[in-house]
Amino acid sequence: MRNPFFAFFFLLFTLITSAQKNEYAITTISDSLKENANAVVRFDQTDILISSQRSMNIKNRRAVTVLNEKGFDATEAYEFYDKSTSVKNIEAVVYDAFGKEIKRIKRKDFKDQSVVGGSTLFSESRYIYLDYTPISYPFTVEFTSEVQTSSTAFIPRWMPLRGFYTSIEKSSLNVTYPADLGFKKKEFQFSGFNLKKNTDTNTQLSYVATNILAQKKEDYSPNYKDLFPKVMMGLERFHLEGVDGTATNWTDFGKWYSEKILAGTTDLPEETKVKIKTIVGDEKDPIKKAKLVYDFVQKKSRYVSIQVGIGGWKPMLATDVDRLGYGDCKALTNYTKALLQVVDVPSYNTVLYGDSYKTNIESDFVSMQGNHMILSIPNGNHYTWLECTSQDDPFGYQGTFTDDRDVLIIKPEGGEIVRTKVYEDASNTQKDSGTYTIDEKGNFSGSVSIVSEGSQYSSKARIEHLQPTEKESHYKEYWDNINNLKLGKINLTNNKENIRFTEEVQLSATNYATLSGNKMIFTVDAFNQNSGNVKRIRNRKSPFQIQRGYLDSDEIEINLPTGFTIEFLPSNFELKGKFGEYKTEIIKKENNKLIYKRSIFLYQGKYTNKEYDDYRLFMEQVARNDNAKIILTKN
């Protein structure tokens, strides 16, 4: 006889299990959260327990419904570990669109590999990640992990919304910590989001975020890190790389870092010391010495990419880099510093956020920050900055990866927040000079010299390393306004001494001009047209910014075909506004020649969402004038 209690229990268990599976069904997500979303975070709970100065435990439980192939990264199903950090638990469960479990993934099924494949220098720095190929969309990944670390110098920042096109049903943070470690926090961009601080005592902090709609990425908008809410956290008494630390200001922090983390990492073999002294010879000027050392490092070493914090904060020994010939940013910076010490040139490890998007070290929040390291050399009342990971950068050139931002210089006497080199708008130049000829059939032939400096050098210097087919693709895309383009001789000159990149290109095209009856029509500006493709965005929400200004100036000689006279020339044009200045001029010369002059000076700046339409209209006027036509009539 069937036991009625067992039957009731089995029915109840079945219902509960079914409910648990169905909570991830796509039908339970509100339409507003699906709008503009590639993924929906169903819940994301982070529990941080700091039990002492040398012990921190982080538990994550995160469920993400991936709506399409662009949304998989939002699962964030991975963890990093090294000699001071262990992954105690990691697993995932995959559910289909109806919330039915289709796969359970244990730790052994995760991929586990070095942060740099094949590297012995970083063999202890590894990461575990979910390698899952979806059967269909949508699906949901429930990911749980637990990490234990002795390093308390870097507390993960909380960002419930960590990218565009992702919405949040619920995200929460719970932090527990001893009252005597000097816990601190800094909140950013809370306004306009559904966030609530539940607890804030001398031992606990908690937040919850609910129903945050997916944010569309808008052209020229700031990075999501400067738009979405986040909380930075830190301790005044912490532990890092086996060493206790105490810091309430940047001076103390820098001194601790110098004495406890960097100390003992710059020894070099005698043979290398002799070699570098021989290279420097009798040179007395410290900057000229540094240039010789930098050239040596560029030729000897190569870079392996590991962000600061992932591969540890303590640089690898200079002797190891010298022996192996490669390293990450910390290792190569420290190696260069060690070589400079041999020839009596002082230099300092410098921590910063390296990215083409300018991001500052938060100067009013003393803590472990940054993802990159460079070297600073005192040079009078300023610094010369060395990007030690590059085998190509000119000495002292920062480009767009480390320019114009607050960084932390680590000196023996303490830390110092300093601004890196600012490339002023007027110094970010591109100068075009050239000539082109239109024949009686409307065919085009010409040559142009393009000289780029300042931040524009950074985007152009890479061209010399392109393969021939890549180079051709680059120029055909650059001059996509010229149909039937055929490239001739290309000569590139990289002047690293003056940090100037020159492109000399010969080019031709059939049917550049349009023939209609006895008339010929063609666009004056062949070499440097602005497409004006600034997208119209209705009801724009985010502010916009021009990260770097620039100054382009062109002077082109135009040879008109014989047997034609000018029927129409575009008028000279000038435009000035809050975003920049633009000017064109056409000068008639003898023998059917014209001189076309053009300049555009765009200002860097931050603007409100309301000003975006004004900028779009400004650039539309530039584009319209760049596309101005000449009309010729056949005699």
PDB file of all heavy atoms in Angstrom, residues 16 183 235 386 558:
ATOM      1  N   ILE A  16       8.189  22.104  -5.621  1.00  0.00           N
ATOM      2  CA  ILE A  16       9.252  23.028  -5.227  1.00  0.00           C
ATOM      3  C   ILE A  16      10.378  23.002  -6.252  1.00  0.00           C
ATOM      4  O   ILE A  16      10.879  24.039  -6.684  1.00  0.00           O
ATOM      5  CB  ILE A  16       9.786  22.689  -3.819  1.00  0.00           C
ATOM      6  CG1 ILE A  16       8.711  22.968  -2.761  1.00  0.00           C
ATOM      7  CG2 ILE A  16      11.052  23.480  -3.517  1.00  0.00           C
ATOM      8  CD1 ILE A  16       9.071  22.508  -1.374  1.00  0.00           C
ATOM      9  N   PHE A 183      38.568  50.606   7.660  1.00  0.00           N
ATOM     10  CA  PHE A 183      37.807  50.402   6.424  1.00  0.00           C
ATOM     11  C   PHE A 183      37.278  51.750   5.925  1.00  0.00           C
ATOM     12  O   PHE A 183      36.823  52.598   6.689  1.00  0.00           O
ATOM     13  CB  PHE A 183      36.642  49.448   6.685  1.00  0.00           C
ATOM     14  CG  PHE A 183      35.795  49.189   5.468  1.00  0.00           C
ATOM     15  CD1 PHE A 183      36.134  48.191   4.574  1.00  0.00           C
ATOM     16  CD2 PHE A 183      34.655  49.963   5.215  1.00  0.00           C
ATOM     17  CE1 PHE A 183      35.352  47.942   3.448  1.00  0.00           C
ATOM     18  CE2 PHE A 183      33.877  49.725   4.087  1.00  0.00           C
ATOM     19  CZ  PHE A 183      34.229  48.722   3.206  1.00  0.00           C
ATOM     20  N   LEU A 235      41.325  49.475   2.920  1.00  0.00           N
ATOM     21  CA  LEU A 235      41.698  49.416   4.331  1.00  0.00           C
ATOM     22  C   LEU A 235      42.941  50.282   4.557  1.00  0.00           C
ATOM     23  O   LEU A 235      43.830  50.345   3.710  1.00  0.00           O
ATOM     24  CB  LEU A 235      42.024  47.986   4.755  1.00  0.00           C
ATOM     25  CG  LEU A 235      40.910  46.935   4.625  1.00  0.00           C
ATOM     26  CD1 LEU A 235      41.465  45.548   4.968  1.00  0.00           C
ATOM     27  CD2 LEU A 235      39.734  47.275   5.534  1.00  0.00           C
ATOM     28  N   LEU A 386      58.490  56.783 -19.417  1.00  0.00           N
ATOM     29  CA  LEU A 386      58.903  55.688 -20.289  1.00  0.00           C
ATOM     30  C   LEU A 386      57.888  54.560 -20.247  1.00  0.00           C
ATOM     31  O   LEU A 386      57.586  54.021 -19.174  1.00  0.00           O
ATOM     32  CB  LEU A 386      60.275  55.142 -19.875  1.00  0.00           C
ATOM     33  CG  LEU A 386      61.465  56.109 -19.933  1.00  0.00           C
ATOM     34  CD1 LEU A 386      62.755  55.352 -19.626  1.00  0.00           C
ATOM     35  CD2 LEU A 386      61.554  56.791 -21.290  1.00  0.00           C
ATOM     36  N   ILE A 558      45.780  71.824 -57.100  1.00  0.00           N
ATOM     37  CA  ILE A 558      44.881  71.096 -57.999  1.00  0.00           C
ATOM     38  C   ILE A 558      45.144  71.542 -59.429  1.00  0.00           C
ATOM     39  O   ILE A 558      45.073  72.749 -59.738  1.00  0.00           O
ATOM     40  CB  ILE A 558      43.404  71.353 -57.635  1.00  0.00           C
ATOM     41  CG1 ILE A 558      43.141  70.987 -56.163  1.00  0.00           C
ATOM     42  CG2 ILE A 558      42.472  70.563 -58.556  1.00  0.00           C
ATOM     43  CD1 ILE A 558      41.804  71.450 -55.639  1.00  0.00           C
TER      44      ILE A 558
END
